[in-house]
Amino acid sequence: MDNKRIVNHALRALLYEVTVNPKPGLVDPLSAGPHPDMNAFMFIDSALSLEPYFNACAAAGATYTAADLTGLFQQIRHIGVQAERTMFAATNGVNTHKGAVFSLGVLVTASAYQSQHLNGDLATIVRAMLMGLTANDFSTLNAKEPATLTAGERQYLNYGIKGIRGEAEAGYPTVMQVALPALQRSHGTINQRLLDTLMAIVQATVDTNLVKRAQDPHVIDWVHGQTQRYFDLGGSRSEAGMAFLRELNQIFVDRNYSLGGSADLLILTIFIGLQLQILA
């Protein structure tokens, strides 16, 4: 697969995700959820601003020849810093796709590397690229001033939650083992299929964005119960399931809860689904 097609799939993944509705606690064309500073148009602008970044990631993956793939990750990590600045410029400082800059950049790079070198599955390449990531990134946390810690760093220190770094370092097992199988067995319209896939992700993961908003890791047990209720009602292909999603979104708005981590994993799932033609 050529780089142009890989980049096209990355951009489509970002645009598909924001289009899916109704998404509890997330921005879509019908609701900003608990994000009054955002809207779907902002996400479109943000997504399109990242095209040069994905082109650079794909070029890096396609041309990398060293045996140690951690060097490839370091190469794109530097590019990602500039991509974040570009994103913030497109959104007037609002964080729309910071998580996707990291994770989708990794998958675009790994896909281009896989396409050119024709060896290894995607998860294996990702694990090789990110080997030692959490140990390296979290090694000096105890020496940092508490006020300078990021939300992810605080969650690691307080609860042992590794967040997206741990998910990425492990080769995105939630995407590979939960979300892609859910997408494969889903039925209905693209919107229905992606709603059910999103809720399967929420049910199977610890969404660090939700923990951050709730300031309580026990919120994960609550949201897992809500996703089970959704599926018990019939999911996206039942009126009861869709009505429940709309009600759940209002609860998220009232409590200022967000599922930003799950949205990022949905973006990755859409990207791979397009790559594998699971999502036609």
Side-chain angles (χ1 to χ4, degrees):
M1 185 176 297
D2 64 32
N3 285 0
K4 185 176 180 180
R5 190 170 175 82
I6 292 170
V7 171
N8 174 269
H9 289 164
L11 295 173
R12 285 172 67 190
L14 295 174
L15 298 174
Y16 276 34
E17 184 277 326
V18 76
T19 304
V20 176
N21 68 88
K23 297 193 299 289
L26 295 167
V27 175
D28 62 43
L30 303 179
S31 170
H35 303 279
D37 58 338
M38 301 180 182
N39 58 51
F41 296 103
M42 181 184 290
F43 273 75
I44 293 169
D45 291 341
S46 173
L48 295 181
S49 78
L50 295 175
E51 183 175 8
Y53 166 62
F54 294 131
N55 279 321
C57 287
T63 57
Y64 192 78
T65 57
D68 182 0
L69 291 187
T70 60
L72 176 57
F73 173 63
Q74 292 306 321
Q75 191 174 325
I76 65 161
R77 201 169 203 185
H78 293 302
I79 303 170
V81 172
Q82 179 55 52
E84 284 187 12
R85 294 194 190 103
T86 301
M87 175 202 74
F88 283 125
T91 63
N92 291 316
V94 178
N95 176 12
T96 44
H97 286 125
K98 189 172 180 178
V101 168
F102 171 73
S103 288
L104 194 52
V106 166
L107 285 190
V108 166
T109 305
S111 295
Y113 179 88
Q114 181 188 43
S115 180
Q116 288 300 313
H117 296 80
L118 303 175
N119 63 331
D121 65 271
L122 198 61
T124 300
I125 294 169
V126 169
R127 285 194 295 270
M129 286 174 61
L130 303 184
M131 189 180 300
L133 175 65
T134 52
N136 291 334
D137 281 10
F138 292 148
S139 62
T140 61
L141 291 191
N142 288 313
K144 291 182 72 172
E145 288 292 327
T148 67
L149 293 170
T150 66
E153 289 169 344
R154 280 194 295 273
Q155 287 182 26
Y156 178 75
L157 287 175
N158 293 337
Y159 314 125
I161 298 172
K162 291 184 178 180
I164 193 58
R165 288 179 179 85
E167 176 76 16
E169 187 177 31
Y172 297 103
T174 302
V175 174
M176 305 300 183
Q177 299 167 23
V178 175
L180 281 172
L183 181 61
Q184 283 182 299
R185 63 176 177 265
S186 65
H187 298 284
T189 64
I190 291 177
N191 191 63
Q192 288 171 326
R193 294 180 68 193
L194 293 181
L195 276 176
D196 286 347
T197 302
L198 170 65
M199 296 305 279
I201 290 169
V202 176
Q203 190 173 42
T205 193
V206 174
D207 191 307
T208 55
N209 199 251
L210 179 59
V211 174
K212 174 188 172 184
R213 291 289 189 108
Q215 297 185 314
D216 180 2
H218 295 101
V219 73
I220 298 300
D221 294 331
W222 172 81
V223 82
H224 286 173
Q226 300 305 304
T227 54
Q228 187 57 55
R229 173 73 174 150
Y230 166 75
F231 287 117
D232 288 345
L233 289 170
S236 68
R237 299 179 76 193
S238 76
E239 183 49 46
M242 292 296 280
F244 180 73
L245 276 190
R246 290 188 286 271
E247 293 168 8
L248 191 58
N249 183 54
Q250 189 57 52
I251 293 171
F252 272 70
V253 171
D254 293 342
R255 298 182 184 179
N256 197 34
Y257 287 175
S258 174
L259 290 170
S262 299
D264 287 341
L265 293 178
L266 180 62
I267 289 169
L268 305 185
T269 305
I270 296 169
F271 171 72
I272 299 174
L274 291 169
Q275 293 279 96
L276 298 178
Q277 298 184 318
I278 297 170
L279 196 61

